[in-house]
Every structure is written in structure tokens, then in C-alpha cells.
Amino acid sequence: MTPAPQSALAPAPPIADELFQEIQEFRQRCDSLYHFNSKWDSVLNVVGIGVSLVIVACGVYRWSEAAAILGGVMTAIVSLQRAFPFTQRWQFYRLLRSQTENLLTEVKNGAVQPAQAIGILKSLRLDYAQQIPRGSSVRPESDPTDHGAPHTGDVPPSG
């Protein structure tokens, strides 16, 4: 006698409403930060393009004083883009939001166990807390406290 074919994996036990709500709130937080950073990335890019065009026009009409002032404005815009990496941040938050949406889909369809859902959410929160893109500075990339000693342990050197 042949065994009966096994159906698809049995659905996982239902996820508590509190955990489901936590996952949704995390997704909403990532979504909000994604939109905030995307908006400011666009604003700085559009303003930078506009200021560049006005600088060219000042050069054509020989308005050197205005061009010099606008050159300073352009330097400030570029500095803002380096200090606040909105492009990298909106991409980071969009990725986190997408991963959280995938988790919500798995939870809704019983594809993950509650313990797995908690583990995935913990991992996403850890990424949220540790891996946000930071702005550039005028300091060198190396750590001033690092005197050339080799790094040990499982943690890769930051930088």
C-alpha cells in the first residue's frame, strides 16, 4: 500500500495580534522614513540643478558677485548631501520596508512560526538600529583609535 501524498506544509500556528501589530508598526515607521528621505533627496537634487543653471546664467551675463554667492550656496548643498546621505537612506528604508512586508505576508498566510517571526523582526530591528547610512565627514575613513593593530573576533572592522 502506498502512502497518501502529503499535502503542502501544515500552516503555522496563528501569530498573536500584538506581534502582528508590532510588525505593521515597524513597516509603517520604515515607510515614513523612506518617504521623508526620498523627499529631501529630491529637494536637494532639484535645488542643486536650479542653482547650477542660475550660476551659468550669472556667468553669461557677467554677474560675478551673484555667481560667487550662488557658488557658496552650491557648496552648502553639496555639503548637505554628503552630511545627510538621503539617497542611501531612502534606499535602506525601502529595503527594510519591503522585507517587513514580506514578513507580514508570511505571517498572514501562516508560513512562519511565531518564534521565526519574532527572530526575523528582531533581525530587521537590529539592521534598523545599526546599519543606517551615516553622513560623510572631513575626517579620514580610518578610526583614529586604530593604530594598525589587526582586528580580531567575529566582528568585521567598521569603516
Side-chain angles (χ1 to χ4, degrees):
M1 183 165 156
T2 61
Q6 298 219 351
S7 62
L9 296 174
I15 302 290
D17 288 338
E18 294 83 12
L19 177 58
F20 188 77
Q21 183 65 29
E22 256 185 86
I23 296 169
Q24 285 183 318
E25 288 171 3
F26 183 74
R27 190 205 61 80
Q28 289 169 346
R29 188 176 321 127
C30 291
D31 188 62
S32 174
L33 290 168
Y34 158 67
H35 286 291
F36 172 83
N37 284 284
S38 177
K39 176 184 79 171
W40 283 105
D41 180 54
S42 297
V43 166
L44 287 178
N45 285 326
V46 167
V47 170
I49 291 168
V51 170
S52 296
L53 292 173
V54 175
I55 289 172
V56 171
C58 287
V60 169
Y61 292 108
R62 295 191 169 108
W63 296 336
S64 58
E65 292 87 8
I69 292 169
L70 290 172
V73 170
M74 191 66 194
T75 300
I77 291 169
V78 170
S79 295
L80 279 171
Q81 288 175 322
R82 286 183 55 83
F84 302 101
F86 292 113
T87 302
Q88 293 89 348
R89 287 181 180 180
W90 73 251
Q91 291 170 345
F92 173 75
Y93 289 121
R94 184 180 67 179
L95 178 63
L96 274 181
R97 182 191 68 179
S98 296
Q99 291 173 331
T100 307
E101 286 173 353
N102 289 341
L103 176 59
L104 282 169
T105 299
E106 290 175 333
V107 165
K108 287 178 189 176
N109 292 290
V112 294
Q113 300 287 329
Q116 291 173 309
I118 290 169
I120 294 168
L121 182 59
K122 283 170 55 176
S123 175
L124 291 171
R125 284 181 174 161
L126 190 59
D127 286 348
Y128 176 89
Q130 291 182 338
Q131 296 185 13
I132 183 170
R134 306 273 188 238
S136 299
S137 69
V138 294
R139 285 184 262 149
E141 291 294 319
S142 64
D143 182 2
T145 61
D146 184 4
H147 302 290
H151 293 275
T152 59
D154 295 336
V155 179
S158 63

